[in-house]
Amino acid sequence: MSGATSRTPRAAAVRPRRRAPGDPEGPSRADVRAGRWVRTSRGLYVPRGVDRTAPVQRILEAGAVLPDSPSAAVTGWAALRWLGAEWLDGLAPGGVLVEVDLVTTVRDIRPRPGVRLSAERLDPAEVVVVDGLPVTVAARSVCFVLRHAVDDRAAVEVGETALHAGLCSLAEVTAYASMLPGWTGIPRARERLALMAEGSASPGETAMRLIWELDAGLGRPLRNVPVFTRDARHVATVDLLDPVAGLVGEYDGRDHLRLDRRRRDLRRESELRSLGLEYVTMVAGDRHRRQAMAQRILDAHRRTRRVPPGDRPWTLEQPEWWKRREAQRRARRTA
């Protein structure tokens, strides 16, 4: 899936409605005939003008056909997006819409474009209802993607996005997968779990890390780690870091194109370089030119100066003021 995100909140999605006499919020027969409401599925409509390509709208329209059963739910990437993983936009490379996965064993649902059906058994304990829509819990949803996604890297991006959103941990997903020894795709899921790591803040960062490891053949870098000067000043929190070689990797998404953001990025790069760190940047287009990007990473890696830790003007040791601030942030998030 792509790294671009549509941050439409769930509340912005318009729930499909049936034609029902006396329902002031639903469509009348005249509304439908005049094209003021458009059909989303059998017997269900939304007003014309609703953005039906928005991720949350697509998810809600797909979920509207689920039977009223505790063993029927949205799953996969769509469940994770509905649960709060807002970086998941439901787009494959090239802007192709990824299908919304539904799982139910209660009754047949008519196949339709944009929806993929699964008849796998589903424990009602693994379903939660959020804003009126039943979705599978995060660990199960991630495992579904790891088992069924066509592309290894896209599956890992989805999984790490769920981790970053705080929906589940890598340990929880691994434990859940261990309970499905005979399920379809579990060998593939285990291979993909081995590629996952916690700490990436966006699908683009995950994509860069995978190129760093799989295509450039370098060791696993640290993720979103703060870098400080020796006098305890915070310089930057970098996307990727090889602390031995002193190589920084940064993924610049669309938000980095703004003039003010670009100025900050350049100042930060200059300061990191002045501390002796080498620097390599990846942009969205590089995700589809993996070998070229891997070569740039390797070229930067060869330029690094392997300074002994005690002689570096930078450090990863967190000063006390930073630890206190991070503790306060964690307390606010859990309050």
Side-chain angles (χ1 to χ4, degrees):
M1 299 204 180
S2 77
T5 179
S6 172
R7 295 187 176 275
T8 307
R10 289 190 298 263
V14 178
R15 192 172 301 275
R17 303 186 69 90
R18 296 188 181 278
R19 283 199 301 109
D23 181 359
E25 296 185 10
S28 66
R29 184 172 298 178
D31 287 331
V32 174
R33 282 201 303 264
R36 290 187 288 270
W37 287 65
V38 295
R39 180 181 172 184
T40 62
S41 55
R42 187 181 183 185
L44 293 172
Y45 302 83
V46 294
R48 179 173 296 280
V50 169
D51 181 5
R52 300 184 60 208
T53 65
V56 289
Q57 185 64 34
R58 292 178 54 218
I59 295 166
L60 189 57
E61 290 184 14
V65 305
L66 287 168
D68 185 11
S69 165
S71 296
V74 176
T75 192
W77 76 267
L80 296 167
R81 172 61 193 258
W82 196 261
L83 287 167
E86 292 190 345
W87 278 106
L88 298 180
D89 58 9
L91 294 178
V96 178
L97 296 179
V98 179
E99 294 171 310
V100 175
D101 291 298
L102 305 180
V103 57
T104 177
T105 58
V106 177
R107 65 175 174 84
D108 290 337
I109 298 174
R110 291 188 178 187
R112 68 182 185 87
V115 174
R116 183 170 60 172
L117 304 177
S118 169
E120 293 179 341
R121 63 182 181 270
L122 175 59
D123 185 343
E126 296 172 352
V127 177
V128 293
V129 178
V130 179
D131 289 348
L133 185 68
V135 297
T136 55
V137 295
R140 190 192 196 282
S141 300
V142 172
C143 276
F144 187 93
V145 173
L146 296 178
R147 291 189 296 116
H148 292 290
V150 174
D151 183 80
D152 289 339
R153 301 190 195 208
V156 173
E157 288 180 25
V158 172
E160 291 194 1
T161 300
L163 303 186
H164 173 66
L167 303 182
C168 54
S169 67
L170 185 55
E172 289 170 336
V173 177
T174 302
Y176 186 87
S178 70
M179 299 188 297
L180 310 175
W183 286 49
T184 300
I186 276 296
R188 181 187 306 122
R190 292 194 186 106
E191 293 173 358
R192 291 168 172 177
L193 273 168
L195 296 176
M196 287 179 60
E198 295 182 301
S200 290
S202 72
E205 290 180 20
T206 298
M208 185 177 189
R209 180 183 65 78
L210 291 174
I211 292 174
W212 182 299
E213 294 180 27
L214 302 181
D215 300 296
L218 300 178
R220 179 161 291 182
L222 301 178
R223 279 91 51 205
N224 282 287
V225 59
V227 177
F228 304 90
T229 60
R230 289 290 177 180
D231 59 357
R233 183 173 60 85
H234 178 233
V235 180
T237 297
V238 298
D239 294 344
L240 304 175
L241 175 67
D242 178 340
V244 176
L247 175 61
V248 169
E250 288 284 300
Y251 179 80
D252 287 357
R254 292 177 182 174
D255 56 328
H256 289 258
L257 297 176
R258 300 195 320 266
L259 183 58
D260 58 336
R261 180 62 183 269
R262 187 60 186 150
R263 285 174 179 152
R264 291 199 303 271
D265 288 343
L266 290 172
R267 284 198 300 269
R268 187 169 80 157
E269 177 181 350
S270 177
E271 187 161 11
L272 288 167
R273 288 185 181 278
S274 72
L275 294 174
L277 289 159
E278 187 55 57
Y279 198 98
V280 59
T281 302
M282 174 174 159
V283 296
D286 294 324
R287 299 175 68 171
H288 313 302
R289 296 187 289 268
R290 294 173 183 167
Q291 291 306 314
M293 186 66 226
Q295 188 58 56
R296 283 170 49 203
I297 293 172
L298 287 171
D299 290 343
H301 192 261
R302 281 191 287 270
R303 292 195 299 267
T304 58
R305 292 172 282 171
R306 299 178 180 246
V307 180
D311 296 336
R312 296 169 178 166
W314 59 273
T315 180
L316 300 183
E317 184 175 348
Q318 297 181 3
E320 289 303 316
W321 70 265
W322 180 270
K323 293 178 183 178
R324 288 194 299 271
R325 192 179 75 172
E326 291 303 294
Q328 292 168 354
R329 286 180 176 176
R330 287 192 295 271
R332 287 195 296 268
R333 285 197 298 266
T334 58

